[in-house]
Amino acid sequence: MAVTGAVAAAPGPSAVAAAVTHEPAAAQRSTPLAGAGWHLKDSGSTARFRGLAAVSRSTAWVAGTGGTVLRTRDGGKHWSDVSPPGAGALEFRDVEAFDGRRAVVLAIGEGEASRVLRTDDDGATWHESFRNTDPRAFYDCLTFFDQRHGIALSDPVDGRYRILSTGDGGRSWRVLPSDGMPPAQHGEAAFAASGQCLVSTGSHDAWLATGGAGTARVLHTADRGRTWSVADAPLPAGDPARGVFALAFRDRAHGLAVGGDYRPDQPSPRAAAVSADAGATWTASAEPPAAYRSGVAWLPHSRRLALAVGPSGSDLTLDGGRTWHPFDQGSYDTVDCAPDLGCWAAGERGRIARLGW
């Protein structure tokens, strides 16, 4: 389903790692991680970037409207336009990068508008590895378990979510049988808001987020998409604009869900939830973000720190998602963190930023 600060020198990875390592001290500050904030980078673009892949503090990919794909290798000082030729009519909503040279992007839309492309040479050339030919399908997100195995998600077809699978790094895809997928609710769909409606961790586990129906839900697979279990999530529901918009798991057990109502004139009083049992059950955050959030990411090497972003601002949790604290009012749609603690955010009007302390 389609949905519709000053730059300063950031500390090195060792300084950021120290801040994460000393979480109890950080949690005692009057302002959580005082000084933390997004450092805006000049992308040179006006596209809206809902797809984001953080490779490191120096390297990141973004994908967005007008078939736009950008990549940086110097921490955002310069961005290379590596958009696929002839892709101007496509809406890229997800990008998964293996490194600075290899990436896979997903375009959303009904019928043939949904496509997957891969590059192995810095974006100099792209290979279209999948084009949807079923007018009933609408692909929203994709994720990879490793450099070869991945899945992509479509809104329900014949009453069940459709899953694509690849075993060769996104060079080819096949539709998985739907007999292991629970029935969708009436009006239920996934939100292509941040590339995080389908996420994975480890070699076999993945989760998908839903909305638009009577109950917001999270589905879990432990076998790379062949069979799924389902759990209700305590986020706003009962309207096509409400539900779970993004998920993040720091390991197989511990997950975060954010969302709400994406309409700016509607409140989102229960915009976040947590799970400690692989998504089998979800508990509403005691102090959720004050508004709709479309993206969420754990800070690497941390059991408690995570970021959430949305059009009205960003929030930080110091306790694994139970309470959230606002720290920035800028508009972002998606967020992602790399193992070296390079955290990036992206959104409307070409906005891209990297987190610094």
Side-chain angles (χ1 to χ4, degrees), residues 230-241:
V230 63
D232 293 348
L235 273 75
D239 187 278

Side-chain angles (χ1 to χ4, degrees), residues 9-326:
S14 60
V16 178
V20 173
T21 301
H22 296 88
E23 290 174 33
Q28 295 172 7
R29 300 178 185 177
S30 58
T31 301
L33 290 184
W38 294 116
H39 296 175
L40 280 169
K41 309 296 180 179
D42 183 4
S43 70
S45 174
T46 58
R48 186 165 195 168
F49 295 117
R50 295 185 186 270
L52 168 64
V55 177
S56 68
R57 284 180 57 78
S58 61
T59 302
W61 299 69
V62 293
T65 55
T68 306
V69 180
L70 306 182
R71 189 207 62 232
T72 183
R73 286 187 169 177
D74 58 9
K77 294 178 182 177
H78 303 91
W79 292 88
S80 298
D81 186 340
V82 295
S83 306
L90 299 181
E91 290 280 334
F92 291 134
R93 294 293 181 92
D94 202 353
V95 55
E96 302 291 329
F98 304 110
D99 49 39
R101 291 182 56 83
R102 300 173 299 161
V104 177
V105 296
L106 171 75
I108 68 160
E110 297 178 350
E112 293 191 1
S114 285
R115 306 180 193 183
V116 179
L117 296 86
R118 176 179 168 122
T119 182
D120 291 288
D121 56 7
D122 305 309
T125 61
W126 292 85
H127 165 65
E128 183 182 294
S129 57
F130 172 76
R131 182 179 298 200
N132 175 44
T133 57
D134 189 334
R136 302 169 299 171
F138 185 116
Y139 286 86
D140 300 284
C141 297
L142 68 126
T143 189
F144 279 86
F145 304 98
D146 52 41
Q147 294 194 14
R148 293 186 58 82
H149 300 92
I151 54 176
L153 165 69
S154 166
D155 287 337
V157 176
D158 294 329
R160 298 176 190 271
Y161 288 96
R162 175 170 289 182
I163 301 296
L164 281 182
S165 176
T166 180
D168 57 11
R171 296 178 178 87
S172 64
W173 299 82
R174 66 185 181 93
V175 176
L176 293 181
S178 62
D179 53 353
M181 177 68 71
Q185 301 175 89
H186 177 71
E188 191 178 33
F191 292 106
S194 61
Q196 296 177 324
C197 62
L198 178 67
V199 300
S200 60
T201 188
S203 60
H204 290 81
D205 289 276
W207 296 261
L208 68 89
T210 83
T215 302
R217 306 195 300 173
V218 176
L219 281 67
H220 172 228
T221 178
D223 55 13
R224 294 180 180 165
R226 291 187 291 274
T227 61
W228 297 79
S229 57
V230 63
D232 293 348
L235 273 75
D239 187 278
R242 299 174 185 161
V244 181
F245 281 72
L247 298 167
F249 276 78
R250 66 173 171 84
D251 54 34
R252 188 179 187 275
H254 298 89
L256 302 171
V258 300
D261 190 319
Y262 71 76
R263 295 170 296 190
D265 61 339
Q266 296 296 315
S268 293
R270 305 181 313 279
V274 300
S275 176
D277 55 9
T281 61
W282 292 86
T283 302
S285 297
E287 297 180 25
Y292 155 73
R293 294 293 180 255
S294 55
V296 63
W298 290 95
L299 270 73
H301 320 300
S302 171
R303 296 181 180 181
R304 294 187 282 260
L305 275 64
L307 303 163
V309 301
S312 65
S314 300
D315 303 273
L316 173 74
T317 179
L318 300 170
D319 55 14
R322 290 184 290 276
T323 63
W324 291 87
H325 311 275

